[in-house]
Amino acid sequence: MVSSSLLKQFQRATQALLGLVTINVIFFIFAPTYRAISNFQTIFSQATVLGVMAVGTTVVLLSAGLDLSVGSILTFVAVSVGSMLNLQYPVWLIVFIALGIGAFWGTVNGLIIVITGVSPLIVTLGMMMILRGFSELLGAGKDMSSFPRAFRALGSGYFIPVLIMAAAYLVVAFMLGKTRLGFNAYAIGGNQEVARLSGIRVNKCKVIYYAIGGLMAGLAAVLLTARLNFANSTFGQGMEMNSIAAVVIGGTSMSGGIGGVGRTIIGVLIMTCLASGLSHMGVGSSWQRVSIGIVIILAVWIDTAQRKRTL
Amino acid sequence: MQTNPNVKPPGVGSGTLVKNNKYQLIFRSQWFLLLLAEFLIAIITGIVNPRFFTISNVINVLEQIAVLGIVSSGMTLLIISGEIDISVGANIGLSSCVMAIMIKSGIGVFPSFVTGIALAIFSSFLVGLTAHTFKAPSFITSLAFISVFQGIALAITKGSFQTIYGQAETIGMTRLGNVLPLSFVISLGAYLVVHFILAYTKFGRRIYSVGSNPAAAYLSGISVIKTKYYAFLFSGFFVGIGSMVLLSRIGAAQPSTGSGIELKAIGAVVIGGTPLSGGKGRIIGTLLGVLLMGIISNALNMMRVNPYYQQVTFGLLIIASLAMSIFSSYKGHARSEKSTKKAIE
Amino acid sequence: MNQLNSTIGAPLVVMKGIVKCFPGVIALNQVDFELLPGEVHVLLGENGAGKSTLIKVLSGAFPADSGEIFIYGEKVVIESPEVPLKKGLRFIYQELNLVPQIDIARNIFLGVEPLGIRKLGIINTSTLYKTASQLLERFNIQLDPHRIVSTLSVTQQKMVEIARALVTDARVIVLDEPTDVLESTSRNDLFKVINHLKKEGVGFIYISHRYAEVYELGDRVTILRDGKNVGTFSIRDLTLETMIEKMIGGKIGKQYPSLPAPQEKIILRLENFYKGTVVQGVDFSLRKGELLGITGLMGAGKTELARAIAGVDPPTSGSLYIEDEKVMVRTPEEAIRHGISFLTENRKTEGLILDQSLRNNYGLPNINRLSPFGMVKIKKMNDEIDFYMKELTIKAPHRFTLAGQLSGGNQQKLVLAKWLGTHAKVIIFDEPTRGIDIIGRREVYRIMQELLAEGTSILMFTSDYAEAMEMSHRVMVMRRGKIVKEFPRSSASEDDILKAAIGVGEFR
């Protein structure tokens, strides 16, 4: 059942798939080092961090929300994890706490948005600032590297990270495709007032979606710190943009109500291949940043063009 | 049939009671509260640290809010017109880097500044242009342009500091009569220009109409797109002036220069009573909002609060004050949740 | 009430002393209402009488300021839409209330999805689609439940909404002007369903302004006027005439003024006007001081033609002549420059800025004239709006009153004032009196009469056949984007116009 709904999303995301194939063909031709098998292993393991984060962002965007603070949530969780690992806690507990912290900040975002009625853009932008401050405070002057091997295993290679990401995708795909919570996300994103008048507890649902977004950012932080074997307070800056870009390129509408995680994974691969390919072609990180901005604008353009056609 | 004692007598609410006390009302609630808050913070800080009230510190505050004030003036125009630009910080970064590089390479100060301002205007226009042509809300396109502007700034500076100490200090360092900073006078000029536009010009009236009800404005013969483009151009111009003042005062630029100012500017505008949904607002509110930001930032410094805590405080403060302004505007209005959704977009 | 033998039983819904105020208006003033099982209770009243507000109070869309509500004899506090839904009340609103991005089945089950594992909120999707298609079959709706709602026609969407109301055990169904967008066959289907459910004891609250429907379907009627309850009557005891009189609060007198004769000079001429597929080659000319009425069914292309002439949605092809000079009108801005004003049918959303003052609204199209070198002459603007407020008797305390606080009639007069300021040669009215009460209408007609006397020409697009017949020098009937018939003033009955609009007898 889950797989069939996933398959449908794949079909609808053929355009994104086409984009993915196109850029790969281009890089295959023009960047010889890109072709190596080892490079694809790297791409996969890199894609897991963004991938996990983007799952959460998909849920938030589907319900017509926006969370710009996920990058900073990642930073904060990474720094927290870094400080905890030196305390010799067991790995499972650390992962659990990391997810909890991520979900906590997501919940805080959701609660503020729901209770105050301030636009998510401003709330999460403010939260971004707040969390950066907290991360600096927490991470200042601490050595956060050389983590225990058991923890590093979560992020090393590509098998375990890809497995974790796949699990995240399956859970969220099930949530969106088979549960009331997921159905409500589409309804709220499509027309909040109709959802409210249909007896859906819009506010409660929204808080949960932001919490999921935060939780996934926490999980992404675990994967990233485990892979790099260190953590600091500049981690994850700008990740929120990559995450939004991946989701929108995949074909989830920024205005909510249309999309799903099946498409997001294609978006994530496009983003990762693009970054890898550009660096293999010798394009510096600053121009990569420019290209991400342009890609987002293009994705938004495609999004609005498609919406015009279907509505 | 029993009568409910809570029922208001009929007739109340029509005619006299609804008479327009709106301006007084706003003044009583929002602006008055703002001023009050500013005084309170100032007094408390003054008690904790008497140095707060020294002339040099007051000048310091005025100098520090100059750039924010200039940028917020432009942002006021934009927000009233129903648009928003969260790339102003990145825009400052890019244009001040360009100015610094040009000055460093020996091109004169004046042409460098002009070029930088022109670039800022162009960048801001791009945000508006993409928003319109792609029919996307401007907060999304401006979000994307943050990456673009920062990336370009990083590429042209190769990530390094561009210092121009002593080469263009006039604007940032001059103090008129040895007291009043020129930069603050420039920001006052920005407020005045925006006030003049909003209150006395055709363009100003159109900004309100377009922000309030674009459909009605269009049917009344107002070109919505043109009006919004102008708002972006003006905002870009103020961003350019802001970068110039900032560069001149600091004497150096880097890609991250100005980052974070967008939130402060939006915060100042909204605290000053301009709703994010557009169509309403006055520059005096923005001025008070900017002043609040300046006083708080200075007070935190005076009380020797860790700069990272300051960042946290600011984030909280902006969210809280926006929430308050939304609550106060909700009070008299029976609005549905749709208006909040509109505010997002 | 003794005649209602089919409706024995305790009332399903009782509303007592409901009061609801909006800024500047009392929408409901001490309204009582009662619904018995198995009856169709019609709520009748002019626009703005408070019908929809009463329903929205019951549905929890917004709370009442005071009053009590009993459902099945039990007192309830309705603080959110969940409360009445849980009690088995279903609402079908005037405006479409579906989520356009998701499919039919999901919309039908919105918020009440069949659960496989209850605790976890896991949905049984196969049951969902199966039940949805059974439900659609029951109403003769041939639609795939997987279809995305945004791809449906308006009628189809309305039917989906009705199906949605019946998906779970409903004991009370509220229908707010449901047939407005329905074709007549779907209307009959709907009535069949209603009569069937009535027998099962379901109560219906039915809002409509179609008198024929009231008699066809209703058992009792509650009439609202200006937010007050005029009374509840058995429909069989009420003649159409008394019903209307109670609704408008007075006798229906002479409505339409006499019209001054038009002059010879031709002001505006259309040649071969096309707009997409909706306007298919329209030609006509309009003389100075003439009022030309254009009418037709919904979807005949009236509004599209009006908007094409006014440059709002420019025509695909065709020429427009003003005083024998060919002009290009591609935006409202150009239309104003050439002396064409357009009063939209959507007064509140497109005509006025409701949260701005009368003066600023007046300034909208006049700002160009009033601001040489870009500077606004504020004093002149104030003088002008004061003048028009007096001239058109706009009832408002001050020029700084917000437009949203005015009544419908006064809002329409404000829209008029704003366009009178441009001193247009031709004024295009799209549905000039929709949603305006009888007194307001008369004033709008009087202003039209004065305009004509001053030599202004008027194009009036209306779907009110009586208005078209009695208020115009000439009436043209549109059908499928073409002008099919022309009548001189008062030469035809409403029936003749309707026949022309539908196309009866064309092939004879």
Side-chain angles (χ1 to χ4, degrees):
Chain A
M1 269 318 207
V2 180
S3 57
S4 84
S5 75
L6 263 178
L7 206 71
K8 222 185 322 172
Q9 283 171 4
F10 266 108
Q11 280 164 0
R12 271 180 266 158
T14 35
Q15 276 166 315
L17 212 53
L18 212 67
L20 180 62
V21 172
T22 314
I23 59 168
N24 269 298
V25 168
I26 293 172
F27 289 140
F28 258 69
I29 296 168
F30 295 105
T33 49
Y34 182 82
R35 283 175 227 155
I37 296 282
S38 62
N39 184 44
F40 281 96
Q41 290 172 349
T42 320
I43 286 178
F44 272 123
S45 71
Q46 277 171 350
T48 53
V49 177
L50 181 61
V52 167
M53 198 156 181
V55 180
T57 305
T58 310
V59 178
V60 174
L61 286 187
L62 262 184
S63 63
L66 180 71
D67 192 346
L68 293 179
S69 69
V70 281
S72 304
I73 293 179
L74 185 144
T75 314
F76 185 81
V77 174
V79 174
S80 319
V81 165
S83 348
M84 277 187 301
L85 280 167
N86 299 339
L87 295 175
Q88 305 288 322
Y89 286 153
V91 172
W92 63 267
L93 186 64
I94 287 170
V95 173
F96 190 74
I97 294 173
L99 298 186
I101 296 173
F104 169 77
W105 285 115
T107 312
V108 170
N109 274 331
L111 284 176
I112 295 176
I113 288 163
V114 164
I115 293 170
T116 64
V118 178
S119 88
L121 170 76
I122 304 292
V123 171
T124 56
L125 211 56
M127 189 53 83
M128 182 162 119
M129 218 164 147
I130 294 170
L131 286 176
R132 275 190 196 166
F134 276 141
S135 309
E136 296 281 359
L137 285 166
L138 199 64
K142 274 189 200 147
D143 172 38
M144 291 183 290
S145 56
S146 319
F147 299 144
R149 178 180 286 171
F151 182 76
R152 271 171 19 220
L154 290 175
S156 52
Y158 57 93
F159 184 67
I160 297 177
V162 168
L163 207 65
I164 292 174
M165 181 179 80
Y169 270 85
L170 284 177
V171 169
V172 174
F174 181 79
M175 194 275 279
L176 288 176
K178 288 290 282 182
T179 70
R180 196 171 266 185
L181 188 65
F183 273 46
N184 290 350
Y186 288 92
I188 293 170
N191 190 334
Q192 183 175 320
E193 190 62 13
V194 171
R196 191 176 77 90
L197 291 176
S198 306
I200 293 171
R201 288 193 194 149
V202 172
N203 287 349
K204 186 179 132 196
C205 290
K206 277 183 165 176
V207 174
I208 297 175
Y209 303 141
Y210 281 100
I212 293 172
L215 182 113
M216 290 300 170
L219 184 57
V222 171
L223 290 180
L224 189 63
T225 40
R227 181 158 63 91
L228 299 181
N229 194 18
F230 77 97
N232 69 30
S233 50
T234 60
F235 256 42
Q237 278 189 17
M239 274 291 278
E240 64 279 345
M241 295 303 289
N242 296 10
S243 180
I244 291 172
V247 174
V248 177
I249 292 166
T252 294
S253 170
M254 273 213 79
S255 43
I258 303 171
V261 286
R263 312 169 178 206
T264 296
I265 189 131
I266 301 171
V268 169
L269 287 176
I270 290 180
M271 292 294 292
T272 322
C273 290
L274 202 64
S276 166
L278 286 175
S279 54
H280 277 275
M281 284 173 76
V283 177
S285 64
S286 26
W287 289 110
Q288 284 182 29
R289 210 151 159 183
V290 175
S291 69
I292 286 173
I294 293 170
V295 163
I296 294 179
I297 295 172
L298 284 179
V300 168
W301 177 39
I302 294 168
D303 175 30
T304 39
Q306 268 176 341
R307 234 185 314 151
K308 221 186 292 162
R309 216 173 28 198
T310 53
L311 288 186
Chain B
M1 189 187 74
Q2 65 201 51
T3 43
N4 191 329
N6 297 328
V7 170
K8 290 168 202 156
V12 173
S14 57
T16 50
L17 215 128
V18 201
K19 214 175 138 187
N20 215 291
N21 288 327
K22 195 146 189 244
Y23 289 104
Q24 293 172 24
L25 213 88
I26 287 173
F27 200 78
R28 212 174 289 159
S29 60
Q30 198 134 354
W31 294 343
F32 183 71
L33 278 178
L34 257 177
L35 262 178
L36 202 72
E38 281 157 15
F39 273 118
L40 273 177
I41 297 168
I43 288 167
I44 294 170
T45 322
I47 293 167
V48 176
N49 187 341
R51 225 169 55 77
F52 183 80
F53 282 119
T54 57
I55 291 194
S56 72
N57 187 52
V58 172
I59 292 172
N60 194 9
V61 172
L62 295 185
E63 225 168 45
Q64 267 165 2
I65 61 171
V67 175
L68 180 63
I70 296 166
V71 174
S72 303
S73 304
M75 190 65 86
T76 309
L77 283 181
L78 257 190
I79 291 182
I80 293 178
S81 80
E83 298 290 323
I84 200 164
D85 182 356
I86 59 171
S87 69
V88 287
N91 194 348
I92 288 184
L94 177 59
S95 48
S96 59
C97 282
V98 167
M99 289 176 187
I101 289 173
M102 285 177 73
I103 292 171
K104 240 172 100 177
S105 62
I107 300 168
V109 172
F110 182 71
S112 307
F113 280 162
V114 171
T115 316
I117 292 169
L119 177 69
I121 295 175
F122 176 71
S123 305
S124 175
F125 178 68
L126 267 186
V127 172
L129 183 74
T130 46
H132 172 251
T133 36
F134 298 156
K135 303 261 177 304
S138 50
F139 86 82
I140 296 176
T141 55
S142 61
L143 202 62
F145 270 107
I146 293 179
S147 303
V148 175
F149 297 153
Q150 279 182 349
I152 295 175
L154 275 169
I156 57 172
T157 57
K158 303 198 172 54
S160 64
F161 249 92
Q162 305 296 315
T163 49
I164 50 157
Y165 295 125
Q167 290 187 62
E169 286 179 336
T170 333
I171 294 169
M173 298 300 208
T174 310
R175 292 192 175 159
L176 302 175
N178 254 340
V179 192
L180 201 58
L182 179 61
S183 55
F184 180 68
V185 176
I186 293 176
S187 78
L188 281 185
Y191 295 126
L192 277 178
V193 167
V194 172
H195 175 70
F196 181 77
I197 290 176
L198 287 177
Y200 300 111
T201 69
K202 185 165 83 176
F203 172 54
R205 308 288 352 149
R206 289 187 163 179
I207 284 185
Y208 284 108
S209 317
V210 160
S212 214
N213 185 342
Y218 178 67
L219 287 187
S220 300
I222 295 170
S223 170
V224 177
I225 303 159
K226 221 175 10 180
T227 309
K228 291 194 168 180
Y229 280 163
Y230 275 125
F232 274 104
L233 290 176
F234 268 99
S235 171
F237 172 72
F238 287 118
V239 168
I241 298 284
S243 332
M244 176 181 82
V245 172
L246 190 66
L247 177 65
S248 173
R249 199 181 74 223
I250 302 176
Q254 58 171 329
S256 68
T257 303
S259 80
I261 201 172
E262 61 275 353
L263 190 59
K264 283 188 183 174
I266 295 168
V269 172
V270 179
I271 291 169
T274 306
L276 276 181
S277 45
K280 277 180 216 150
R282 293 170 83 184
I283 194 70
I284 175 92
T286 303
L287 194 156
L288 291 176
V290 170
L291 198 62
L292 183 73
M293 298 277 166
I295 290 178
I296 289 175
S297 163
N298 187 266
L300 293 174
N301 272 329
M302 284 280 144
M303 299 199 250
R304 299 189 207 298
V305 175
N306 179 319
Y308 298 130
Y309 271 128
Q310 291 191 22
Q311 212 174 353
V312 173
T313 319
F314 256 101
L316 283 174
L317 184 92
I318 288 167
I319 295 173
S321 50
L322 290 192
M324 270 185 31
S325 69
I326 284 189
F327 278 138
S328 65
S329 73
Y330 260 92
K331 242 184 253 164
H333 289 261
R335 280 189 176 172
S336 68
E337 292 194 3
K338 274 178 193 157
S339 59
T340 34
K341 194 163 180 187
K342 196 182 153 203
I344 303 162
E345 292 154 4
Chain C
M1 228 176 282
N2 47 0
Q3 294 177 9
L4 299 164
N5 38 21
S6 65
T7 60
I8 317 159
L12 297 169
V13 175
V14 176
M15 300 174 85
K16 264 188 195 163
I18 304 293
V19 176
K20 176 74 195 173
C21 300
F22 290 117
V25 230
I26 301 186
L28 293 175
N29 191 352
Q30 293 277 17
V31 172
D32 298 327
F33 180 80
E34 178 196 68
L35 177 72
L36 297 172
E39 75 163 338
V40 174
H41 195 142
V42 180
L43 263 182
L44 202 63
E46 291 215 88
N47 277 310
K51 294 166 304 195
S52 294
T53 314
L54 187 67
I55 292 317
K56 287 191 171 164
V57 164
L58 182 63
S59 76
F62 42 64
D65 294 337
S66 69
E68 292 178 311
I69 298 172
F70 299 86
I71 298 178
Y72 317 136
E74 187 188 325
K75 187 175 172 179
V76 289
V77 182
I78 298 180
E79 74 251 312
S80 78
E82 259 189 294
V83 180
L85 285 176
K86 280 208 173 128
K87 293 254 172 205
L89 273 64
R90 298 286 174 271
F91 298 85
I92 297 168
Y93 297 100
Q94 207 172 345
E95 59 271 29
L96 289 167
N97 264 292
L98 296 171
V99 181
Q101 293 93 335
I102 62 181
D103 65 27
I104 293 175
R106 281 176 168 216
N107 263 296
I108 288 179
F109 282 96
L110 200 64
V112 291
E113 293 89 352
L115 296 182
I117 308 166
R118 182 155 276 282
K119 271 267 164 60
L120 296 174
I122 293 170
I123 291 165
N124 189 336
T125 31
S126 57
T127 315
L128 188 140
Y129 286 102
K130 217 187 289 161
T131 326
S133 57
Q134 282 166 0
L135 205 67
L136 293 173
E137 260 166 45
R138 195 168 140 205
F139 297 112
N140 273 326
I141 311 171
Q142 269 106 32
L143 287 173
D144 177 6
H146 286 93
R147 251 178 85 175
I148 303 291
V149 163
S150 61
T151 63
L152 303 179
S153 74
V154 177
T155 307
Q156 288 169 330
Q157 292 193 22
K158 201 77 202 178
M159 290 308 281
V160 170
E161 246 192 272
I162 290 162
R164 194 175 99 185
L166 300 173
V167 68
T168 46
D169 299 328
R171 292 182 63 186
V172 175
I173 296 177
V174 181
L175 298 134
D176 192 351
E177 309 207 352
T179 53
D180 259 22
V181 295
L182 292 190
E183 290 148 9
S184 61
T185 48
S186 344
R187 218 180 61 129
N188 292 338
D189 284 339
L190 172 66
F191 285 5
K192 255 185 241 161
V193 173
I194 291 180
N195 281 320
H196 175 74
L197 288 170
K198 242 173 87 169
K199 285 186 198 118
E200 292 174 9
V202 175
F204 286 87
I205 302 175
Y206 195 96
I207 299 181
S208 180
H209 56 236
R210 299 190 181 187
Y211 307 120
E213 272 180 19
V214 173
Y215 281 100
E216 194 178 339
L217 204 62
D219 297 310
R220 286 196 298 166
V221 58
T222 292
I223 299 175
L224 295 179
R225 188 174 67 232
D226 299 331
K228 285 183 206 131
N229 190 341
V230 179
T232 301
F233 311 92
S234 168
I235 281 177
R236 281 172 236 178
D237 301 346
L238 209 60
T239 63
L240 180 61
E241 208 168 39
T242 46
M243 191 156 78
I244 296 174
E245 273 170 16
K246 284 190 193 307
M247 219 169 88
I248 62 175
K251 292 261 179 227
I252 325 161
K254 183 175 177 285
Q255 277 212 56
Y256 303 101
S258 59
L259 299 179
Q263 300 168 27
E264 281 305 312
K265 190 176 165 200
I266 287 175
I267 289 287
L268 175 125
R269 192 153 58 83
L270 289 195
E271 250 180 41
N272 241 342
F273 238 57
Y274 280 86
K275 169 75 196 177
T277 55
V278 241
V279 177
Q280 298 269 355
V282 169
D283 303 80
F284 65 76
S285 50
L286 178 71
R287 287 184 294 165
K288 190 167 186 198
E290 185 184 30
L291 200 162
L292 177 59
I294 296 176
T295 187
L297 294 177
M298 217 172 102
K302 293 191 305 278
T303 295
E304 289 79 3
L305 177 60
R307 292 172 85 91
I309 300 171
V312 181
D313 307 308
T316 7
S317 68
S319 355
L320 180 68
Y321 296 87
I322 292 202
E323 294 178 329
D324 276 336
E325 186 193 333
K326 190 171 174 178
V327 293
M328 288 288 282
V329 174
R330 310 210 66 88
T331 60
E333 209 178 339
E334 288 170 349
I336 293 167
R337 213 180 302 137
H338 290 116
I340 301 173
S341 290
F342 173 61
L343 279 76
T344 153
E345 60 176 328
N346 307 315
R347 191 169 54 239
K348 289 187 179 180
T349 53
E350 295 182 345
L352 292 174
I353 299 183
L354 294 179
D355 54 2
Q356 288 196 3
S357 66
L358 264 71
R359 187 195 69 181
N360 285 357
N361 272 290
Y362 175 77
L364 285 174
N366 295 304
I367 199 88
N368 262 337
R369 184 171 52 79
L370 289 170
S371 43
F373 311 111
M375 301 300 135
V376 183
K377 288 182 169 172
I378 289 172
K379 173 136 194 335
K380 184 132 192 279
M381 195 152 98
N382 288 344
D383 290 347
E384 286 187 14
I385 180 64
D386 286 351
F387 170 77
Y388 282 114
M389 279 171 69
K390 227 166 85 193
E391 188 75 7
L392 304 183
T393 59
I394 298 175
K395 282 189 206 104
H398 204 263
R399 59 172 175 260
F400 292 119
T401 308
L402 303 187
Q405 296 177 348
L406 302 183
S407 72
N410 280 311
Q411 284 181 352
Q412 185 68 310
K413 284 194 265 179
L414 175 59
V415 178
L416 257 166
K418 136 187 158 179
W419 288 111
L420 291 185
T422 63
H423 300 291
K425 296 176 195 140
V426 178
I427 300 184
I428 303 171
F429 287 84
D430 195 5
E431 305 290 354
T433 56
R434 177 184 287 177
I436 296 176
D437 60 21
I438 298 263
I439 298 153
R441 271 173 197 232
R442 278 191 197 145
E443 291 193 54
V444 171
Y445 294 146
R446 181 184 56 81
I447 295 165
M448 285 182 168
Q449 182 194 25
E450 281 168 17
L451 283 170
L452 294 173
E454 285 163 18
T456 312
S457 310
I458 296 178
L459 265 180
M460 179 172 74
F461 292 82
T462 175
S463 43
D464 183 338
Y465 300 139
E467 178 178 275
M469 205 64 245
E470 301 301 326
M471 254 324 276
S472 349
H473 292 111
R474 286 184 290 149
V475 188
M476 301 200 300
V477 182
M478 271 186 96
R479 187 163 65 85
R480 295 194 186 150
K482 289 192 178 108
I483 306 276
V484 289
K485 193 107 188 176
E486 187 180 319
F487 300 101
R489 189 182 191 196
S490 305
S491 70
S493 66
E494 285 186 43
D495 212 38
D496 294 335
I497 294 184
L498 183 65
K499 276 181 186 154
I502 308 173
V504 176
E506 200 170 73
F507 304 104
R508 228 177 265 157

